[in-house]
Amino acid sequence: MGKVKSAIVLTVITLVIAVLCVVCFVPFPTDSEGVSFFNPILNWTQKSSELGGYQYGGNAAYLGGGYTAVLYPEGVLSKKEYEANLAGKETEAEKQEYAEDYLPYANGALYLERDVACEKGSDRVSEEFDSGFRKNVEILKQRFEGLRENGTKLEVCDDYSVRIQLSSTMSAPSVALLYFSYLGDFTVKYGSSYEDATQAIPAENSDKPLSDYVKSSSVRTLNGVIYVVIHFTSEGRDIISEVTSGAADSAITMYFSVGDQAVINLSVSDQIVDGDLYISGSYTDTTAGIVATVIDSSIASTALGGESVEMNLGEIYRMPAATDSGSGLSALMLFYIAIGGCMLLSAAFFLIRYRRLGFAAIYSMLCYVILMVLCMYAIPVEIGLGTALAFLLCGVLLGACNAVAFEYARKEYAVGKTIVSSVKTGYRKCFWHIFDLHIALAIVAVLTYLIATAELASFALVMTLGVLISGVCTLVFNRFFWFIMMPLSKNAGKFCHYKREEVEDDE
Amino acid sequence: MSKRMYSPKAMWLWIALSTIVIIAGVVLYALFGFNVSASEYRTIEVGYDSVVSIEKLEEDLRSHCEKSFASAGISQNSEQSYYEVDVNYLQDTGTTLVTYFFSADTPEAGIRSAVSAIESAVASDAKFANADVTVEYRNVKNEPMYEAIWRGAIGVAVGVVVALVYIGFRFGWDGAITGLIVGVHDALLTLALLAITRIPVYAYAPLLFAAVAAMLGLLLWMIRKAKMREDFKDPAYSALSAEEAVEESCRNSYKTVLCFAVPLAVALIVLGAVATAGVRMFMLPALIPLAVSVYSSLLLAPAVYAPLKAKFDRFKTRHKRYFGKKKAAAEEE
């Protein structure tokens, strides 16, 4: 390539990279008052709770990293609720009566209703209540784990309450908290109102288990409409068909309930004859998944038998962005500074070791960072600590592979080859090494992503992206940048900081 | 790297060393588990309504809390503010909850006395007369979610095995078996070191670090194996025994391993040093899988590979001889 052509191409590429850098990383005001800001793509990517939550709207404000709520079993009150109820009693006698009904538990953090949670005439928690609560914890764990969302946490507080933490990147967290708190047996009722509805499944006055009527529940998407599907057995289908036989004449409502809560109200105007009942509504993927999970786990837990205790959802709280107490800077800002520092160190290494050839490595590193941010935004992938580690690993892999390619070319140049031949031979010699490294890592990362869940799945996904982008950057971009930058220098050896081996003169 | 490092004796030395650490790790894990952050802890939750925020009394309340902690002789690990939102629209209601986190071994009496001290300080402070302030004390126990653990472990195992099949075809089965040993070893040794050192980590971190160790171990071993494959093409190597050939090749390739490991270590240290405590708690323990994979690729893997290569070479020679004889017989006929 000629010097002029090379300069033009390099200028164009530099401009493209600069524009992409601005679009990806630099916020700037778009009006003179500084009211509106251009929001770079990096700001739109999802962030985990450790890095300060996610971008809310266009005002560059980070909302909290997650939502948290406490679930109390029926018969258990928080101190706050107990005190509020007590304060609501008008007379001292009423207050005393109310206080006698409750047992302060765990240093007064919880109040247990004696009739519900305690053994008769004793301050001891009944075994029935205890086992019912333990069963609930297992069901809740199963439900929340089934979300496969990063940052989901379940904690037992003071033995008899459950605290849930959800990532703010999850859509519809309140739906998950509310619906997942519904515990109890799955029933199907029909009638004009929920209170007066007649139970259809399981058939009343029948000893048959629920599994004889309903198999499971799932989510299906057909022609862009998301459905919650309830799979009935032939016996269940017959009952539903019979119940809805008169629906064509007068519409009825069916109530699909978990415990005392109706999770689906279905207006039926035709007889249902299929075993798989497709129910549409204003569901999103997540909300349909939540409803199906609740029904499915309720069917499974009903089959297991045993008593379960109903749960009530307490207040929901959101967590704000994490900040460093020393500097006051947000975790995310410090994280960006640290990543920027690492990139500067890498750039310094390449510039010192390879002089102007270092710019080829810097350009390919910038391409890697830009492509990663674009991919993480488009897919989307949550930026968390695990994904940051994957990003770093692949960044270092890219840097190391670039250095390996430069070193192979250096060896070729040292033995007397021209720079063009050195680059060609160097790349030819190290191509399969670099290719094998990337392929093997990509295989591990892809399979881990397909099988694992939560943080490890996110790590593996970013690892897959990073390995692929690193491979392209080192084998294609890096060589291309080298190719267009080299003609700008008269002395190619000096440009790359390569030296010929000194040959001893025999004479 | 001296010759002794890759002899069969050295191999047993490295294996013994790793086995001792892994067994110690298993025992300590069985006894205490990992030092997973906040698997069990205590909290004091101070809730207040919008009156406190409007009258800007947050700092006063914070000061009451801190004085109460000091007088009760307890100190919090961290604190986090939570803002109450409504169920339907997730909009702030104006109620705030400041949670102070204490380790599980903080004396209960101290916590209780701090709660009483906060309550009496707020009650006696006239500024809080119109405010609704609640103070609650909780014992919290994290419930681990096992599906993520077993699925993650299976995912990494399947990934590593399939990658090793690829390595087997590309680099030979002796290299693939060594890679498998390295992957398993690195994952186990990382978990063992996390259990032994009791470094506080996030709940998901042990599994993630084990996966990172397996991947890094595989990566660094491939770097060494690639160099060996290139070197072994040199006719000068054909005269050497397997052990000598491995030793000769490894003499230079350790620089490439360090060329990858050192920048990664620097990056992790920079992130750990610059970022917030939450990020530090992840990035600095991430040095363990890196150190383990460097150890295994520099010392264990070549030592394991040398006798394997010798066996595979003998097998190949016998195989060649057998088929050579067969071919010759066929030609004679």
Side-chain angles (χ1 to χ4, degrees), chain A residues 59 101 129 137 195 217 453 488:
Chain A
N59 57 0
D101 286 345
F129 177 81
V137 171
E195 286 73 28
S217 175
T453 60
L488 294 173

Side-chain angles (χ1 to χ4, degrees), chain A residues 62-123:
Chain A
Y62 281 98
L63 277 191
Y67 293 95
T68 179
V70 181
L71 302 176
Y72 298 96
E74 192 70 41
V76 177
L77 297 181
S78 66
K79 184 184 172 188
K80 192 179 167 186
E81 197 180 350
Y82 170 80
E83 284 175 354
N85 290 350
L86 194 66
K89 304 292 171 196
E90 287 174 358
T91 62
E92 275 307 312
E94 278 179 342
K95 280 185 183 175
Q96 198 180 343
E97 194 185 335
Y98 185 79
E100 278 169 5
D101 286 345
Y102 284 89
L103 170 74
Y105 187 81
N107 303 304
L110 296 178
Y111 283 82
L112 310 186
E113 196 177 342
R114 288 179 193 274
D115 288 349
V116 178
C118 299
E119 283 176 3
K120 270 189 182 168
S122 155
D123 280 354

